[in-house]
Structures are given as structure tokens and as C-alpha cells.
Amino acid sequence: SAVISQKPSRDICQRGTSLTIQCQVDSQVTMMFWYRQQPGQSLTLIATANQGSEATYESGFVIDKFPISRPNLTFSTLTVSNMSPEDSSIYLCSVKQGATEAFFGQGTRLTVV
Amino acid sequence: EDKVVQSPLSLVVHEGDTVTLNCSYEVTNFRSLLWYKQEKKAPTFLFMLTSSGIEKKSGRLSSILDKKELSSILNITATQTGDSAIYLCAVDRAGGTSYGKLTFGQGTILTVHP
């Protein structure tokens, strides 16, 4: 199983600012994903982080709001841009190798005030 | 549109009780169904089910998949307060642009009272 380090663990941010969340994996993985969990809701996929190319976003999520980088097979960042209180959520990175289960980072609890 | 539905949405029991959580799905190119336990932020993996009728067991937890009925159940026997958590069901699809992406149900909030 992969060990995933995600940081920050939590943050409180002012509206209009941006926050970058980092995800580091202890081994090379093919697939990395970013999920959002709004208060009282389940997990929703934001995008697939592609190594060496632009991320693939799900319906309702755009690159200008959630830019993603993936410079190599062990690291990715998600930025939440121009934040509003509606962006207050838990953000989770996830990795998957083929037909195995998905593993999750510890999550980032973001509060926008 | 792919859909994963869990029931009940919440459940309150006392220690020692047995609970059954349900998950039904409608997805294209089904590959596997996964159960996770979420206590704080990060979901932790419980089971992955790919074949119908084969029970997976880990201690007091067990799960089984019914591909004919497009559903799965998660059983917890002799519940303990440490079982209090959100239980998430997710479906993984095979191939194409959906490869590796999980679709989650709403979750079941389980509360176990001493």
C-alpha cells in the first residue's frame, strides 16, 4: 500500500486568497486524483492529475479555479483559487495502481472566512 | 449517469448490536465495489469486492456483493463505540476515460452508544 503525505492538514483562509495543497507519495504511482468533500456530503472527484500533461477535470470543475500540477509520479498539488466560503471543504488526494483499491491522503480541512 | 446509493443515511445503535449497511449502484463498465470507513478526514480502506457471492471478512466486519441485484451489504457484528464513523461505498469502473475514478455514495453515519 502507498503512504501518502498531504499538507497542510487544515487551514483557515480569507476569501479572495488562494491555497495550495501538496500530496507526496512514497512510491511512483500511475493515477492520482483530487476529491472534495463538502460539509455533510460525500466525496466528489475534482480531477485526475496527469503526469507531464494538463489535469483532466470533472464536470463542474475548471482549471482556473482548481489548477493542478503533477511534475512527477510521486507528487501533485491542488490550488484552490480566489476562495469563497463555499469552498470550505475537506480536500483529499488519492492514488490508485491499476485494479487495486484507492488510498487516500490525510486530507486538508479548509475553512474560508 | 452513474449512481451509488447507500442506506440508511444514519443509524444509531448500542454496543453489541449487529448492523447491516446497504449500497446499490447503477454504473457502466462496473469493475469493483469498495467500502471505506471515515472517522475524521481520510477514508480508510475496508473491502474491495469484484465477484458476486463471495464474502470478504475482517474481524467483526464482513461484506458481500450481489452483481445480479447491483448491490452490496456491509455487516458489523458486536458493534463497539470505535465503530462510530461514516461508512462510504464506492464503485470503480473499467477502462476508458473512467479508469480509476471512484463514484461514492452519500455515506452511512453510524453512531454506537456504550
Side-chain angles (χ1 to χ4, degrees):
Chain A
S1 64
V3 176
I4 306 168
S5 298
Q6 185 177 337
K7 57 182 181 181
S9 175
R10 58 174 59 223
D11 208 341
I12 301 173
C13 300
Q14 297 290 323
R15 65 177 71 202
T17 63
S18 297
L19 175 72
T20 295
I21 303 167
Q22 298 181 2
C23 181
Q24 177 74 54
V25 190
D26 68 342
S27 58
Q28 293 186 341
V29 292
T30 309
M31 292 178 283
M32 290 182 77
F33 304 93
W34 288 96
Y35 288 84
R36 180 177 74 178
Q37 187 176 30
Q38 294 177 298
Q41 305 293 315
S42 192
L43 278 70
T44 301
L45 181 63
I46 298 172
T48 304
N50 300 309
Q51 193 268 325
S53 65
E54 199 169 276
T56 306
Y57 290 84
E58 298 300 304
S59 176
F61 297 96
V62 295
I63 187 171
D64 289 347
K65 177 67 176 177
F66 298 102
I68 289 171
S69 78
R70 185 156 181 212
N72 55 55
L73 292 176
T74 64
F75 185 78
S76 179
T77 67
L78 167 75
T79 299
V80 186
S81 302
N82 188 25
M83 289 184 283
S84 66
E86 292 71 36
D87 294 319
S88 297
S89 297
I90 295 171
Y91 293 86
L92 292 150
C93 73
S94 172
V95 302
K96 205 170 182 307
Q97 289 282 53
T100 65
E101 65 269 30
F103 296 97
F104 289 86
Q106 304 95 319
T108 298
R109 188 183 299 276
L110 171 62
T111 303
V112 184
V113 296
Chain B
E1 184 181 323
D2 295 337
K3 195 189 305 185
V4 179
V5 177
Q6 292 184 243
S7 65
L9 295 183
S10 66
L11 193 54
V12 180
V13 300
H14 288 91
E15 271 192 322
D17 289 349
T18 293
V19 299
T20 298
L21 310 183
N22 301 284
C23 177
S24 63
Y25 61 91
E26 291 178 32
V27 299
T28 52
N29 296 323
F30 173 88
R31 175 160 67 183
S32 62
L33 185 144
L34 302 98
W35 285 97
Y36 288 87
K37 177 182 182 182
Q38 186 180 31
E39 292 178 87
K40 292 184 179 176
K41 292 182 293 184
T44 53
F45 172 75
L46 295 175
F47 298 110
M48 182 169 74
L49 305 161
T50 54
S51 300
S52 206
I54 299 175
E55 185 183 55
K56 292 221 172 174
K57 204 168 168 62
S58 176
R60 298 177 292 103
L61 278 67
S62 63
S63 184
I64 195 163
L65 175 68
D66 186 337
K67 291 170 86 169
K68 186 177 175 185
E69 296 295 325
L70 305 183
S71 65
S72 174
I73 60 171
L74 174 69
N75 283 317
I76 308 175
T77 59
T79 51
Q80 303 171 356
T81 55
D83 295 326
S84 295
I86 300 172
Y87 290 84
L88 296 166
C89 170
V91 174
D92 189 12
R93 285 156 288 174
T97 58
S98 297
Y99 189 66
K101 302 176 184 178
L102 299 183
T103 300
F104 282 85
Q106 323 93 301
T108 294
I109 302 172
L110 174 64
T111 304
V112 182
H113 288 310

